[in-house]
Amino acid sequence: MSAAPTPTSSSLEPLIEFRGISKTYGQGQAAFLALSGIHLGIRQGEFLAIMGPSGSGKSTAMNILGCLDAPSEGEFLFQGVHVERLGRNQRALLRRHYLGFVFQGFNLLARTSAQENVELPLLYRGESALKRHTAAREALARVGLSGWERHTPAELSGGQQQRVAIARAIVTQPLVLLADEPTGNLDSHRSHEIMELLVQLNREQGITVLMVTHEPDMASYASRIVHFVDGEIASDTEQEVRTCS
Ligand SMILES: Nc1ncnc2c1ncn2[C@@H]1O[C@H](COP(=O)(O)OP(=O)(O)O)[C@@H](O)[C@H]1O
Ligand SMILES: [Mg+2]
């Protein structure tokens, strides 16, 4: 397997589609149905907030959307490609080429500069040192961290660390940014700054953003809110896009 599966594009099709997606953890008596026949279509350029109580299946859905885990049942299409039919390695290629990830805990390498953290995905791709340096500097500039390249995570605030993580997620120019509670470890002020950055990336670069949050304040930045309850979609609402300060 030398190349990523090539998605075919059609503006009529959603970018991402769940058709009857179910996920069961465990087997037999211990089996637990975490997602139950989910149908969900996501268009390119949407900013989707996934909400719902703890244990409702949000992270399970994100793991499938992020090609990190496979569904137990149903079809998962990414630009028309049946991801549920791909093997582990092909899923990894799809992930590396089209998706960027941001986590609640930032997940940066501790004794490594911001610059090197952001270069990492390009290193995995085998890009040249020059290309890595240039792209990482650009990505750090886009998240407002020009001049902070040599700082390690310990020398940065939580908000700045999350910006580095976002720079690392966008340095490969992904189509989709997946963020599981990206503001969960930040105070309110930093949280709003991170949300405004995500909105900016969504609007200016056209990156589709899929974000899990349980804070209505953060979800208010999204163009659409999907509520999960007990592994099912309880509501799916488009909303007016909030204007950033
Ligand atoms: N790897 C796993 N093995 C067994 N059960 C799991 C696993 N991951 C999640 N679950 C269960 O599936 C349900 C949904 O989990 P999750 O998707 O993490 O919910 P949320 O992110 O909405 O809090 C929970 O009841 C959780 O305990
Ligand atoms: Mg979760």
Side-chain angles (χ1 to χ4, degrees), residues 14-26:
L15 174 64
I16 292 164
E17 200 178 353
F18 271 13
R19 294 182 186 160
I21 289 289
S22 294
K23 178 70 183 183
T24 307
Y25 290 114

Side-chain angles (χ1 to χ4, degrees), residues 58-59 180-181 212:
K58 304 182 299 293
S59 293
D180 199 343
E181 308 215 28
V212 170

Side-chain angles (χ1 to χ4, degrees), residues 155-166:
E155 298 165 342
L156 299 169
S157 72
Q160 287 175 318
Q161 290 181 53
Q162 193 59 302
R163 283 171 188 277
V164 174
I166 292 170

Side-chain angles (χ1 to χ4, degrees), residues 50 149 161 185:
I50 297 177
E149 292 86 355
Q161 290 181 53
N185 286 5

Side-chain angles (χ1 to χ4, degrees), residues 25-26 32-35 52-61 180-181 212 228:
Y25 290 114
F32 183 83
L33 187 62
L35 288 180
S54 181
S56 59
K58 304 182 299 293
S59 293
T60 300
D180 199 343
E181 308 215 28
V212 170
F228 278 69

Side-chain angles (χ1 to χ4, degrees), residues 34-220:
L35 288 180
S36 175
I38 299 282
H39 294 275
L40 180 66
I42 301 165
R43 294 180 303 276
Q44 186 148 4
E46 279 197 290
F47 189 142
L48 189 82
I50 297 177
M51 302 191 76
S54 181
S56 59
K58 304 182 299 293
S59 293
T60 300
M62 285 292 267
N63 289 343
I64 295 171
L65 288 165
C67 304
L68 293 160
D69 200 1
S72 310
E73 267 178 67
E75 299 181 329
F76 166 32
L77 290 104
F78 186 87
Q79 284 200 328
V81 170
H82 277 271
V83 181
E84 83 283 356
R85 294 178 195 163
L86 302 179
R88 199 174 277 266
N89 293 342
Q90 282 179 308
R91 275 211 313 270
L93 281 169
L94 206 151
R95 201 159 65 226
R96 215 175 287 164
H97 279 83
Y98 300 106
L99 311 178
F101 294 87
V102 177
F103 306 93
Q104 179 173 354
F106 320 138
N107 298 14
L108 300 173
L109 295 182
R111 274 177 281 279
T112 308
S113 69
Q115 172 83 21
E116 288 168 313
N117 267 287
V118 176
E119 284 187 23
L120 214 56
L122 300 174
L123 192 66
Y124 292 143
R125 271 196 188 180
E127 302 287 3
S128 70
L130 179 63
K131 200 163 174 192
R132 294 200 307 268
H133 293 328
T134 312
R137 287 182 76 86
E138 277 173 13
L140 282 166
R142 267 190 281 162
V143 301
L145 285 179
S146 287
W148 296 87
E149 292 86 355
R150 311 270 30 120
H151 290 70
T152 61
E155 298 165 342
L156 299 169
S157 72
Q160 287 175 318
Q161 290 181 53
Q162 193 59 302
R163 283 171 188 277
V164 174
I166 292 170
R168 180 185 57 189
I170 62 171
V171 76
T172 55
Q173 302 187 303
L175 281 179
V176 183
L177 192 64
L178 296 107
D180 199 343
E181 308 215 28
T183 62
N185 286 5
L186 300 175
D187 63 40
S188 164
H189 183 68
R190 305 286 171 232
S191 295
H192 284 283
E193 284 181 358
I194 291 297
M195 291 313 304
E196 293 191 4
L197 175 58
L198 293 179
V199 168
Q200 191 189 328
L201 294 171
N202 173 249
R203 289 203 200 142
E204 291 173 11
Q205 328 253 333
I207 298 178
T208 304
V209 180
L210 311 180
M211 173 186 75
V212 170
T213 183
H214 48 240
E215 296 167 88
D217 244 19
M218 303 306 137
S220 71

